[in-house]
Amino acid sequence: MMESILELILMPAVAFVVGLVMLLMMRKIAAKIQRRVGPPFFQPLYDVMKLFGKQTQISHGLIHDVGIIVAVGGYIAAETLIPVPGMNGIAERADVIALIYFLMVPSLGMALSAGQCANPNASIGISRALTAMLAYDIPFVIVIFGMAWVYGTTNLVEMVAYQQAHGWGLTEAPLLALAGLFALQGMLGKQPFEIYVAPAEIATGPMVEMSGKYLGSLIVMQCFSLYTAGILYTTLFLGGGVTWIDFLLKAFAVVAIPMTIAFQFPRYRAEQMLASLWKWPVLAGLLGLAVVMLT
Amino acid sequence: MTLLDGLWLVSALTALGAGLFGRSPATGPWLTVLYGVQFLLVALMGSLAYGAAPVPASVTFDILGQALSWRFTSLSWFFALITAGASLTAAWFMGGAWARAYEQRGGDLRLLQLALALNPVTMYVLLASGDFLSLFVGWELVSWASFLLMLSAGGVGVRWAMRYLVYAIGGAMAVMGAMVQAYAVTGSFAFGALAAAAPNLSAGALWSLVILLAGGFGVKMGLLPFHLWQAGAYAETPGPGSAFLGAISSRMGLFAMLLTLWGVLGFAVLQGLHVPWTPLEANELLAWVAAFTLVFPTFTALRQNDARWLLAWHGIGQGGYMLMGVAMGDALASAGGLMHVFNHATYQAALFMAVTAVVYRTGTADLNKLGGLVTRMPLSFLVLLVGIIGLAGLPPMNGFVSKWLIYRALIDEGQPLLFVAAVVGTLGTIVSVYKLLHNIFLGQLRVEHETVREVPWSMLSPMLVLSVVVFVTGLAPGLVLDWVASAQRELGLPVLVPTLGGVARPDGGLDMLWVVGLLFAGFGVGALIFLAGGRARTVHQLDNYAGGHFLSADVRYHYSDNFYAGLMHKIGTWYRGSFRWLQDAVVAATDFLAQGAVGIYRSIQPTAWLLGVAVLALWWVTA
């Protein structure tokens, strides 16, 4: 009992720390591509601490606060659904389908929070964020279906066990892996699919009224989302991890791909994002699905 | 006297009371008590849900040598419980302040009370059907009762009620056709006779039965392409009526379909019926119809600017999940489909009530004329929030569990396209219901709504009770899944063995007790992190970043119209109105034929008639 409680506390804690490093990696990659030096190692942590410690904190009402709590809390809970080396959390009690829907809870929290701000720019940002969800989740669920079919289970622990016995999912379903990577780009809100975050000009996105600990919490949420994307992809396609070292290496490699691609691209408009995400990854996904189901 | 007799009696007394005294708002609470007694009587038959023998009615008839009988089985009980719950909460919601306001605005309260009370009576008759004749009697009664409820709105509602009537008559004709065919084959209206004959029927005869029954009952369910009547008819009914209709009325179609196609013909017969020139069987064809029903109406809902219409369109779409579940027919999927009937009733009633509460206070359901009401009506907001999470099928509400069961089964069955359709429906729902919540409760509060208050407790309490049910049956779905298992057993479907938290299986199960517990633990930790930051100061809504402009109360800046502009830029042109075109074409063709018949009748000379009849008579005599 104590052990499982410890797991449930450790899994989100590790997620946060690793997520911070992933955030740092993202900024470093951007800096390398743009020929800058980039931030020091502890910069993401400093940012979070600074934002939480600010004296002026502006709330737009209870739902503004509650939405942020739901956004962060949803991710904290979601981390216990994905098995990591040595810890399964509650992965045996909630499968990958539950996980996909769990991951929509933070989006809903953020949408509630931004909506309550009564700033039309925030609302427009949220309308784009939900449009993006509609865009990337369609190829993503095709990928999930395909991998569940390949492994004959939706239990993430069993998926890892299968891969460690029979080889990676990447080799069994390369097209699905490709589609998954494409969907990941949208899921992380990285260029060219970053219109809903619009981080370069905060005033036109959902974050327009977020300052202080609100923005700080969103950074925490971003750490979780990077980590979740990395380890989920690793679990689905790269055989999970035997030890923490190979597990994290894979997860960092996975997250580095969308980040590297991102900074080569401008931003798509919402309808261009839909067109692109509903075309290429869906085609690759359906083709991959046909291959795994017919062979 | 059996419990079923008692239920009929009390529900008939409720209708009688409503008809005699319903004009006065003061009768509202008394009628609510009577609905409560109905609920209690249904609850007393609860052993049915755990496999007890059917409860018969004392009343039987013999007409032309055919016996009519009624009884409650596990399946009837499951639907009756939902009916009783929906009518109780709707009457409770209506009984106090709402009824007084309705009467003051000039509404016909007696008609509304009577129409609402007649619905459960007729449904209990339908749900107890023991043969094709009693089924048809019940079916017609239910149709007329819901027609009366739709009619009670007057105005635009009448037009939609009339449209429903046309569809309902068409559906009833199809059902009657199936009955005649069953009679022709077996010489009896008993369920057992057709069940015994079904395995020996030719594929053509079976197809005819399946199409007539699925089509006839599908009209009530709003299955594509017979769905065009439903949204308007439900949305334009006075608030509590919408809540009742939206919760359970159209599910009577599903019940009748289950009773006849699954219960009488048998699921194995459906599975053995091959669709020519395709790899599909009849049950898969139904699953595909369900898939279209869940995708198209959901995306139509997305475009609605009236909260009631938006919900009504979603009601059609959610019916698709139920049919898809039972059409797949394995233990998980059919449990999901049946459980979704219960789940949908709970959150849909709560949603309609929350929207009605908003209309009660603001006078409008127009999504472009509201906003920011969360500060004025926080509990109604909470109800709507719980309801949309249930409708969208997200954890921790009950809608998630039923949809999860269906998704999980579609993976088991290897149905990727149906799976994608089901998920697309869910995503469309999430997108659409956020708009509903945002446009009413979030964003800018209008000047004219600054004095709005929360609705009275007579309206709030049933909404809150329903929200608690939505949450509790999401936390412990095993409560409902036990009842569902009995219904599955009765229908001859594989039976799901649930746990209190959901389903335990090694290759991917679900335990909602853990899932919900952890979710709330996560929220707790999230709250701690959030509170670790400095203390926040709450500012007025006009204290906002507006790109250098000063905001003032007279400027309307709530972003509501064309909420998903980017999405509509892409998919806006995909809305072709094809089904409306089809409906108009059928109407035009009927009109044309009728005109032709009138023309022939009016213009042909009597001598020509005489000649024609004489020739026909000669031919008949000589032939």
Side-chain angles (χ1 to χ4, degrees), chain B residues 55-73:
Chain B
V55 178
S58 307
V59 191
T60 48
F61 279 117
D62 265 341
I63 294 177
L64 299 174
Q66 296 291 329
L68 272 77
S69 65
W70 287 272
R71 80 280 183 276
F72 257 28
T73 61

Side-chain angles (χ1 to χ4, degrees), chain B residues 143-162:
Chain B
S143 296
W144 286 101
S146 47
F147 172 65
L148 193 65
L149 190 52
M150 291 163 196
L151 211 56
S152 62
V156 190
V158 175
R159 228 185 67 213
W160 285 100
M162 296 308 282

Side-chain angles (χ1 to χ4, degrees), chain B residues 325-574:
Chain B
V326 288
M328 289 321 296
D330 68 0
L332 281 177
S334 57
L338 285 167
M339 191 197 182
H340 204 57
V341 179
F342 178 90
N343 295 348
H344 179 72
T346 52
Y347 60 67
Q348 184 80 339
L351 284 169
F352 265 118
M353 285 177 192
V355 166
T356 308
V358 170
V359 176
Y360 175 80
R361 282 302 192 206
T362 64
T364 182
D366 188 331
L367 292 174
N368 289 336
K369 291 181 179 162
L370 293 160
L373 286 172
V374 60
T375 54
R376 296 293 176 271
M377 305 173 71
L379 289 173
S380 302
F381 165 79
L382 186 67
V383 172
L384 195 89
L385 180 64
V386 169
I388 65 164
I389 297 176
L391 176 59
L394 296 183
M397 303 307 166
N398 61 9
F400 169 68
V401 181
S402 41
K403 287 187 183 171
W404 182 89
L405 288 167
I406 297 171
Y407 304 138
R408 187 69 192 80
L410 289 170
I411 292 181
D412 276 349
E413 298 281 321
Q415 292 283 0
L417 298 178
L418 289 176
F419 180 83
V420 171
V423 177
V424 167
T426 298
L427 292 172
T429 311
I430 295 173
V431 168
S432 165
V433 293
Y434 177 73
K435 181 181 101 170
L436 175 75
L437 184 81
H438 173 272
N439 288 10
I440 298 177
F441 284 105
L442 302 179
Q444 182 198 13
L445 182 71
R446 289 183 160 224
V447 183
E448 63 265 34
H449 295 154
E450 275 181 1
T451 54
V452 161
R453 284 175 299 127
E454 184 56 272
V455 288
W457 280 101
S458 68
M459 294 167 74
L460 263 181
S461 40
M463 286 158 50
L464 291 171
V465 166
L466 283 168
S467 308
V468 169
V469 175
V470 171
F471 176 71
V472 169
T473 50
L475 174 69
L479 298 172
V480 181
L481 286 172
D482 275 337
W483 310 336
V484 164
S486 296
Q488 283 180 312
R489 200 168 296 121
E490 183 190 328
L491 291 171
L493 291 166
V495 178
L496 178 75
V497 183
T499 61
L500 184 61
V503 184
R505 50 186 277 178
D507 59 345
L510 182 69
D511 190 341
M512 285 301 282
L513 294 170
W514 276 92
V515 169
V516 177
L518 266 176
L519 189 61
F520 278 88
F523 291 162
V525 178
L528 287 179
I529 295 174
F530 180 77
L531 293 174
R535 196 178 160 76
R537 178 168 59 87
T538 306
V539 296
H540 190 267
Q541 63 170 349
L542 294 177
D543 195 352
N544 249 350
Y545 175 78
H549 293 279
F550 284 105
L551 297 174
S552 55
D554 57 319
V555 181
R556 288 199 174 128
Y557 57 84
H558 186 34
Y559 179 70
S560 62
D561 191 45
N562 196 12
F563 192 75
Y564 294 106
L567 179 62
M568 284 307 150
H569 202 89
K570 176 74 188 162
I571 68 168
T573 52
W574 299 356

Side-chain angles (χ1 to χ4, degrees), chain B residues 42-254:
Chain B
V42 174
L44 283 177
M45 286 187 262
S47 58
L48 282 174
Y50 301 94
V55 178
S58 307
V59 191
T60 48
F61 279 117
D62 265 341
I63 294 177
L64 299 174
Q66 296 291 329
L68 272 77
S69 65
W70 287 272
R71 80 280 183 276
F72 257 28
T73 61
S74 308
L75 184 70
S76 324
W77 183 86
F78 181 65
F79 280 84
L81 181 79
I82 302 168
T83 307
S87 54
L88 171 62
T89 45
W92 184 357
F93 181 82
M94 175 159 83
W98 192 88
R100 283 193 291 280
Y102 185 68
E103 203 210 6
Q104 276 163 16
R105 281 205 317 274
D108 188 343
L109 189 59
R110 183 210 299 266
L111 178 64
L112 184 59
Q113 287 281 21
L114 175 67
L116 183 66
L118 281 174
N119 271 279
V121 190
T122 52
M123 286 178 183
Y124 298 140
V125 174
L126 173 72
L127 293 173
S129 310
D131 53 80
F132 275 112
L133 265 185
S134 57
L135 177 70
F136 192 73
V137 171
W139 185 251
E140 283 299 293
L141 289 174
V142 164
S143 296
W144 286 101
S146 47
F147 172 65
L148 193 65
L149 190 52
M150 291 163 196
L151 211 56
S152 62
V156 190
V158 175
R159 228 185 67 213
W160 285 100
M162 296 308 282
R163 182 174 294 201
Y164 164 65
L165 192 65
V166 174
Y167 273 91
I169 290 176
M173 289 297 125
V175 172
M176 190 181 238
M179 278 172 57
V180 169
Q181 194 192 339
Y183 185 78
V185 174
T186 62
S188 157
F189 287 118
F191 285 153
L194 185 63
N200 306 323
L201 287 179
S202 70
L206 283 173
W207 267 119
S208 150
L209 277 173
V210 169
I211 289 171
L212 287 172
L213 289 172
F217 294 132
V219 166
K220 181 84 178 170
M221 254 190 98
L223 283 191
L224 249 58
F226 310 122
H227 62 295
L228 285 173
W229 63 272
Q230 201 179 86
Y234 285 8
E236 296 295 344
T237 303
S242 303
F244 176 78
L245 289 175
I248 187 68
S249 182
S250 56
R251 307 309 155 220
M252 290 298 128
L254 183 69

